[in-house]
Amino acid sequence: MNEAAPITVACLDLAGTTVADGDTVRTAFAEAIATLGIVSGTAAYDRALARFHESRGGSKLAIFRSLFDEDRAQAANLAFGRSYDDLVDRRGLEPVPGADDALLSIRTAGIRVCLLTGFGRSTQARIIDTLGWWDRVDLTLCPADVPRGRPWPDLVLTAALHLGVDDVRHIAVCGDTANDMLTGRRSGASIVAGVLTGAHDRDRLLAAGATHILPSVAALPGLILPATVDDTMTADHR
């Protein structure tokens, strides 16, 4: 914990960070582009999946816009949301082990919690409804709430404005993708923690600016709560 910058707001990602993903997001993406005729075994499919992996953490609509014209991007985004909801119905949805307790510990300590996502608003709400997390958070934000999604700093800075942050150094950001790390660093957050439960590995997270690497979000309270300051037990510093 950086005593010079006590954390008052924690901005946490959803899929891969607080929500166990497996291949659900990837499968929903593949099913969405299949509605536009892009199927496994084609060069177009391989290019789309490479763009998807490179852009993890960013706005899903923005990813589709980088691949298609506006009408097809909007259609693919709607198909993605439907596919994701269907996969949740069939497979269920679980938090990353320890995530529920971590959110409760952080909020109980008086640190406000904002959940960020690259999903659309309805998908984000579906996740929080399914996990019963509305009492675990103070704010939720998605790309529709800001001019620019990740990797730009807008989501975190919007959280700072909504939650009355006095100094951006009092913010901690936690995520599993390079875009999460870039968003945190560009916003001025003093802690930008990468977790190893999602899309990108340690090297990718560090290259994007992670200040700490955690095995999972379960270790975040030990990093940011004033009562537990032994960072060396919970985090791998850059």
Side-chain angles (χ1 to χ4, degrees):
M1 174 65 185
N2 181 357
E3 294 182 1
I7 299 302
T8 61
V9 167
C11 294
L12 288 74
D13 176 57
L14 282 175
T17 302
T18 54
V19 181
D21 175 47
D23 68 345
T24 302
V25 177
R26 183 185 185 280
T27 299
F29 180 85
E31 291 181 352
I33 62 175
T35 66
L36 300 180
I38 299 175
V39 296
S40 179
T42 65
Y45 178 89
D46 291 342
R47 287 194 297 270
L49 264 290
R51 177 66 59 84
F52 163 77
H53 184 70
E54 177 69 21
S55 304
R56 285 297 298 266
S59 161
K60 301 303 177 287
L61 178 57
I63 297 173
F64 290 125
R65 280 174 170 159
S66 74
L67 294 167
F68 309 116
D69 61 42
E70 183 64 18
D71 288 344
R72 297 178 80 207
Q74 292 286 350
N77 193 53
L78 288 173
F80 174 87
R82 289 193 297 267
S83 177
Y84 189 90
D85 284 351
D86 182 61
L87 288 165
V88 170
D89 287 340
R90 288 190 279 120
R91 298 178 176 182
L93 197 65
E94 296 291 336
V96 167
D100 190 67
D101 288 341
L103 289 173
L104 181 60
S105 295
I106 291 167
R107 203 155 181 262
T108 299
I111 296 174
R112 287 158 293 174
V113 172
C114 177
L115 292 180
L116 308 178
T117 188
F119 292 133
R121 194 186 316 281
S122 62
T123 302
Q124 182 184 43
R126 172 68 186 279
I127 292 170
I128 299 171
D129 280 340
T130 300
L131 296 176
W133 275 357
W134 290 111
D135 64 349
R136 294 284 193 270
V137 302
D138 298 278
L139 181 68
T140 64
L141 293 173
C142 69
D145 297 315
V146 293
R148 303 170 300 177
R150 295 180 295 209
W152 309 111
D154 301 30
L155 281 167
V156 175
L157 295 179
T158 298
L161 290 171
H162 278 285
L163 297 174
V165 174
D166 294 328
D167 188 325
V168 292
R169 291 172 295 180
H170 296 166
I171 300 172
V173 173
C174 184
D176 66 294
T177 71
N179 277 329
D180 296 323
M181 303 300 98
L182 288 167
T183 291
R185 293 306 294 262
R186 290 171 175 177
S187 72
S190 63
I191 290 178
V192 182
V195 294
L196 301 177
T197 52
H200 293 155
D201 62 18
R202 167 191 164 87
D203 289 345
R204 184 78 184 277
L205 296 170
L206 288 173
T211 60
H212 300 76
I213 299 295
L214 305 176
S216 81
V217 71
L220 186 64
L223 178 63
I224 69 174
L225 298 189
T228 51
V229 298
D230 187 4
D231 295 351
T232 62
M233 294 298 292
T234 58
D236 179 4
H237 296 266
R238 183 171 182 177

